[in-house]
């Protein structure tokens, strides 16, 4: 156990050093981006994926995506999704996949009519290939990941290690944010999403990644901290990541993380015995105190502006007419497109082009559900039903998957405010399909 703790501490320090190195020498970000899939392939090749190594590598890629994007290491926006797809397919070659996963093959087939509609449009101003890749890389990543993970047996402890692999580069992201902007108080002047506190990158995607990190660190703290030292380390990291997530002023990722934690606590409490439930009262109290503490500090550092942000007010305290930062209009337009083209939709990726022609500017959808409806029509409806219903059907006989509800909620909420721009919602959704065998840790069991 001692070696495990040392190893965990070493990995934390290593990823803090990686952030420092990339901040000092930005070129290292591209070398880092190249190193991960190359090293990952070597590991899988040597082990023949005997212990689901592809899941650890894919999880790490998912966790590092935002860090690479903000530091210029990402070669293109689909770099991580393509790599995740590659490793999932590599895993299938070595370890096969369940024949019952045909539903997700069918989901991919349902995307074809929308692709054909877009492919038949002759417009020199439209880059059909780019449009298709941008809009379909997320759904394809989700489907391929789901096919590999569908009812794949895994121990709860192994699942936690996969989450830790995802969280390590999120720690690098957080350290980099601190180096990029150590003084939040100096750069916060309004209640809009803040690029300065988000490392100069999109606050929406940064808060999504940090929210995921919040959940993993919370699980580490509550379920896997067996000594005072690990409790202190995980508590500090949880508060650090939460604070930096809050001050991005992007609400989606933080609200999602809070809902994930609530879902986990609900399942843990429900499946604990009487003695365990009495101990959870202490967990609830400590969680509440930490939340109040980090929120109070965030409010102090932002001079109360963060409270106005979450109350949907501007810096002067006036209520904003738009509650979702302009997303309502796009969602309404996509619903209208669906009603006008209910059978086949307007074609994959064409919603963005139609908005450009109608309003003079290209605005990508932030909501994957309304995008699927508008661009794929009835086929999109069937696709969404597969994605929503299947995990719950599996969960009926998979009650030991303590993270199931949290993973599903992460996917559902994330695709409603950040679509599938990153690989995170696709991969985390697929994690909900794993067949988990768990020996509940002592802290939750006793």
């Amino acid at each position: 156990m001692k070696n495990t703790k040392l190893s965990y501490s070493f990995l934390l320090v290593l990823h803090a050093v990686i952030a420092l190195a990339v901040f000092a020498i930005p070129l290292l970000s591209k070398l880092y981006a190249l190193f991960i899939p190359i090293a990952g392939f070597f590991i899988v090749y040597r082990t023949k994926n005997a212990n689901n190594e592809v899941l650890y590598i894919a999880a790490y890629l998912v966790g590092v995506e935002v860090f690479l994007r903000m530091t210029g290491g990402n070669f293109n926006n689909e770099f991580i999704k393509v790599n995740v797809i590659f490793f999932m397919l590599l895993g299938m070659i070595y370890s096969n996949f369940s024949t019952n996963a045909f539903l997700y093959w069918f989901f991919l087939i349902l995307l074809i009519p929308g692709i054909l509609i877009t492919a038949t449009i002759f417009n020199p101003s439209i880059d059909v290939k780019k449009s298709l890749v941008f809009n379909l890389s997320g759904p394809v990543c989700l489907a391929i990941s789901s096919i590999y993970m569908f009812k794949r047996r895994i121990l709860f402890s192994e699942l936690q290690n996969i989450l830790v692999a995802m969280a390590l580069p999120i720690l690098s992201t957080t350290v980099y944010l601190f180096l990029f902007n150590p003084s939040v108080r100096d750069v916060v002047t309004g209640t809009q999403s803040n690029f300065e506190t988000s490392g100069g990158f999109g606050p929406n995607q940064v808060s999504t990644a940090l929210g995921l990190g919040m959940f993993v660190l919370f699980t580490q703290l509550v379920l896997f901290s067996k000594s005072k030292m690990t409790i202190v380390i995980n508590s500090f990291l949880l508060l650090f990541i939460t604070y930096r997530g809050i001050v991005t002023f992007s609400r989606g990722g933080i609200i999602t993380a809070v809902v994930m934690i609530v879902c986990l606590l609900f399942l843990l409490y429900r499946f604990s015995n009487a003695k365990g439930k009495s101990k959870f009262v202490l967990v609830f109290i400590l969680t509440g105190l930490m939340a109040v503490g980090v929120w109070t500090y965030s409010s102090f550092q932002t001079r109360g502006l963060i409270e106005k942000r979450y109350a949907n007010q501007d810096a002067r305290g006036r209520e904003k007419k738009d509650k979702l930062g302009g997303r309502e209009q796009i969602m309404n337009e996509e619903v209208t497109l669906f009603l006008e083209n209910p059978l086949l939709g307007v074609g994959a990726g064409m919603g963005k082009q139609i908005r450009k022609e109608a309003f003079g500017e290209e605005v990508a959808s932030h909501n994957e559900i309304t995008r699927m409806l508008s661009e794929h029509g009835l086929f999109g409806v069937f696709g969404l039903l597969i994605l929503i219903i299947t995990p719950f059907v599996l969960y009926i006989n998979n009650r030991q998957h303590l993270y199931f509800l949290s993973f599903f909620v992460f996917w559902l909420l994330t695709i409603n405010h950040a679509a599938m721009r990153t690989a995170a919602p696709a991969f985390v959704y697929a994690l909900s399909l794993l067949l988990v065998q768990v020996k509940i840790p002592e802290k939750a069991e006793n």
Side-chain angles (χ1 to χ4, degrees), residues 75-332:
F75 292 94
N76 58 60
N77 289 335
E78 317 310 322
F79 177 72
I80 295 298
K81 280 179 265 192
V82 169
N83 272 285
V84 170
I85 291 169
F86 169 75
F87 279 104
M88 292 295 97
L89 291 172
L90 192 62
M92 290 182 209
I93 291 171
Y94 282 118
S95 307
N96 214 330
F97 57 90
S98 171
T99 53
N100 293 326
F102 72 91
L103 274 171
Y104 291 96
W105 290 114
F106 184 59
F107 170 77
L108 287 174
I109 292 171
L110 290 172
L111 300 175
I112 293 175
I115 296 172
L116 294 176
I117 290 174
T118 302
T120 56
I121 294 173
F122 296 98
N123 189 332
S125 65
I126 302 175
D127 188 335
V128 173
K129 181 181 177 182
K130 183 179 178 180
S131 181
L132 288 175
V133 170
F134 177 80
N135 287 280
L136 295 177
S137 58
V140 171
C141 182
L142 181 148
I144 300 300
S145 298
S146 297
I147 290 166
Y148 177 79
M149 288 188 239
F150 191 89
K151 297 184 77 171
R152 188 170 294 275
R153 293 185 179 276
I154 193 169
L155 293 175
F156 183 62
S157 57
E158 293 172 335
L159 176 58
Q160 185 66 22
N161 289 335
I162 290 168
L163 292 186
V164 170
M166 190 188 303
L168 289 171
I170 295 176
L171 172 62
S172 298
T173 306
T174 314
V175 173
Y176 183 87
L177 291 176
F178 175 77
L179 296 170
F180 186 90
N181 168 238
S183 178
V184 170
R185 200 172 180 83
D186 294 338
V187 297
V188 174
T189 57
T191 60
Q192 68 280 3
S193 295
N194 195 303
F195 281 80
E196 282 295 314
T197 58
S198 303
F201 187 64
N204 197 11
Q205 294 180 32
V206 173
S207 80
T208 297
L210 297 188
L212 194 52
M214 285 169 58
F215 174 76
V216 178
L217 264 299
F218 182 81
T219 63
Q220 279 291 104
L221 175 62
V222 173
L223 298 175
F224 293 90
S225 294
K226 300 299 183 184
S227 70
K228 290 180 180 178
M229 180 59 72
T230 52
I231 289 173
V232 170
I233 291 172
N234 288 324
S235 295
F236 170 76
L237 292 177
L238 174 59
L239 292 171
F240 182 43
I241 290 176
T242 302
Y243 167 64
R244 293 304 309 202
I246 290 171
V247 297
T248 62
F249 277 73
S250 182
R251 297 165 293 186
I254 305 306
I255 292 172
T256 298
V258 170
V259 177
M260 289 176 77
I261 290 170
V262 169
C263 288
L264 172 64
L265 289 175
F266 168 74
L267 288 182
L268 286 174
Y269 185 80
R270 184 182 175 191
F271 290 111
S272 292
N273 55 29
K275 190 177 179 182
K277 286 179 179 178
S278 65
K279 285 193 174 185
F280 262 99
V281 174
L282 178 62
V283 173
F284 293 144
I285 292 172
L286 291 176
T287 301
L289 289 174
M290 291 177 73
V292 170
V294 73
W295 181 261
T296 302
Y297 183 72
S298 301
S299 180
F300 172 74
Q301 288 295 320
T302 61
R303 297 183 295 276
L305 290 173
I306 192 63
E307 294 172 3
K308 293 178 180 178
R309 171 63 171 171
Y310 278 77
N312 199 46
Q313 299 172 350
D314 63 17
R316 295 182 180 180
R318 296 172 299 192
E319 181 100 15
K320 293 181 181 179
K321 294 180 180 178
D322 195 341
K323 293 183 179 181
L324 299 176
R327 293 182 178 91
E328 296 105 319
Q329 184 181 355
I330 299 172
M331 290 164 61
N332 290 335

